[in-house]
Amino acid sequence: MRDKFNYPLKWVAAAKGVHFTARVTNYRQPWRYYYEVRNMLYMRLYVKERTVLRAYKLVRSWVKLFGAILLKENNKSAKLEWFLRGTVHGVTKQLGKTIDPHVAKDKSSSHHKISR
């Protein structure tokens, strides 16, 4: 940007970066777990070459996501429902836009439009 607009470069050692937003936990909506686990399983099972290391990473990633829902998240039942649905769809190659997360603002799984 300096080169494009001919701004002089000045170093300020005492400059601070200030962030006004705090990172919150439990910020993921249930449908995000669906897409994350579905795409991860599909890619590691059917697209990438199968190796022992990739099998290990697949199991490790799945267990980490599952454990994060059980140990850290609020709204566990809805998130587990979407996680398990994503697991089934990833293993059975059901891809595409299967959920419309913008149908309702509510985080409840019963309010999302599902095309099966």
Side-chain angles (χ1 to χ4, degrees), residues 50-68:
R50 292 183 188 184
T51 64
V52 173
L53 179 61
R54 285 212 173 104
Y56 167 75
K57 286 182 177 182
L58 180 140
V59 171
R60 183 186 67 185
S61 297
W62 191 92
V63 169
K64 275 185 162 183
L65 277 173
F66 187 71

Side-chain angles (χ1 to χ4, degrees), residues 87-112:
T87 299
V88 170
H89 286 181
V91 171
T92 59
K93 300 182 184 180
Q94 294 181 23
L95 302 179
K97 186 175 181 182
T98 55
I99 300 170
D100 189 2
H102 303 292
V103 170
K105 297 290 183 190
D106 186 12
K107 294 180 183 177
S108 168
S109 63
S110 60
H111 289 87
H112 295 291

